[in-house]
């Protein structure tokens, strides 16, 4: 059950990474730092409320979660760079394609390993039920964020169709 939940969370993270990667690909400016901080503050408030963290739990939890978030973002940035390199390389040999596949799978494994390690730490800090609620709340927040992003885009064209 938890494995399926982690995979679902990983899928959502990949979708968010793809959204960010797509806007970077189209040479749009990245999310302004002040907007990113605002979203992170909204996420913190949302997660705290949904998890029902006490002030003492919050004091213990948030420094660890922030470190987790920082490490997760580093992994995602590396993955986006790999995706950009792949898009730039239009004529791949089978060996090069295999290398890209191996690197992508290794990147996904590193992200899963990071999530597993921090889930163990969160369980120690706030218990298993609140850790499970954290995963649910992250998923719900990400869905809402994606919904709002789609609404904001409105009439803007979507990402280019995939290459075949």
């Amino acid at each position: 059950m938890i494995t399926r939940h982690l995979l679902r969370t990983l899928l959502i993270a990949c979708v968010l990474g793809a959204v960010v990667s797509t806007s970077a690909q189209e040479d749009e400016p990245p999310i302004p730092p002040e907007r990113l901080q605002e979203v992170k503050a909204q996420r913190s408030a949302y997660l705290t409320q949904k998890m029902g963290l006490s002030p003492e739990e919050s004091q213990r939890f948030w420094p660890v979660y922030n470190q987790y978030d920082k490490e997760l973002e580093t992994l995602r940035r590396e993955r986006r760079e790999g995706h950009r390199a792949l898009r730039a390389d239009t004529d791949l040999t089978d060996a090069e394609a295999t290398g890209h596949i191996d690197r992508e799978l290794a990147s996904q494994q590193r992200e899963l390993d990071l999530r597993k390690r921090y889930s163990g730490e969160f369980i120690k800090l706030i218990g298993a039920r609140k850790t499970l609620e954290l995963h649910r709340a992250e998923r719900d927040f990400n869905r809402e964020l994606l919904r709002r992003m789609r609404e904001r885009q409105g009439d803007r064209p979507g990402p280019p169709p995939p290459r075949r």
Side-chain angles (χ1 to χ4, degrees), residues 6 32 44 62 65 84-85 94 107 115 122 127 134 150-151 160 162:
L6 285 174
S44 295
W62 283 109
Y65 184 88
R84 278 190 210 108
D94 278 350
S107 176
R115 289 179 176 282
F122 296 149
L134 165 67
R150 283 188 206 113
E151 283 178 0

Side-chain angles (χ1 to χ4, degrees), residues 30-41:
I31 298 173
E34 61 278 355
R35 178 67 182 132
L36 187 59
Q37 290 298 17
E38 181 183 324
V39 169
K40 286 185 176 193

Side-chain angles (χ1 to χ4, degrees), residues 20-87:
V20 172
S21 177
T22 298
S23 42
Q25 171 189 356
E26 295 172 355
D27 293 329
E28 292 180 7
I31 298 173
E34 61 278 355
R35 178 67 182 132
L36 187 59
Q37 290 298 17
E38 181 183 324
V39 169
K40 286 185 176 193
Q42 289 171 353
R43 180 183 63 185
S44 295
Y46 183 87
L47 295 178
T48 298
Q49 187 268 329
K50 285 294 186 179
M51 293 165 50
L53 293 179
S54 70
E56 297 80 22
E57 288 171 324
S58 287
Q59 257 186 330
R60 293 189 316 260
F61 172 76
W62 283 109
V64 176
Y65 184 88
N66 291 336
Q67 181 61 35
Y68 159 72
D69 189 50
K70 184 178 175 182
E71 290 179 39
L72 192 57
E73 180 53 38
T74 298
L75 289 176
R76 288 178 179 160
R77 188 176 307 113
E78 291 171 5
R79 182 180 289 151
R80 285 191 303 268
E81 290 168 5
H83 291 170
R84 278 190 210 108
L86 179 60
R87 280 190 291 273

Side-chain angles (χ1 to χ4, degrees), residues 1-3 5-7 9-10 51 61 64-65 67-69 71-72 110-136 138:
M1 183 80 160
I2 277 191
T3 303
H5 179 72
L6 285 174
L7 288 174
T9 303
L10 180 62
M51 293 165 50
F61 172 76
V64 176
Y65 184 88
Q67 181 61 35
Y68 159 72
D69 189 50
E71 290 179 39
L72 192 57
R110 284 192 305 275
E111 186 170 327
L112 182 58
D113 291 344
L114 180 74
R115 289 179 176 282
K116 288 168 83 173
R117 179 169 50 96
Y118 273 96
S119 285
E121 291 186 39
F122 296 149
I123 289 169
K124 290 176 190 172
L125 290 171
I126 59 174
R129 280 184 265 158
K130 287 187 179 183
T131 299
L132 184 59
E133 189 56 45
L134 165 67
H135 296 305
R136 285 184 192 144
E138 284 178 318

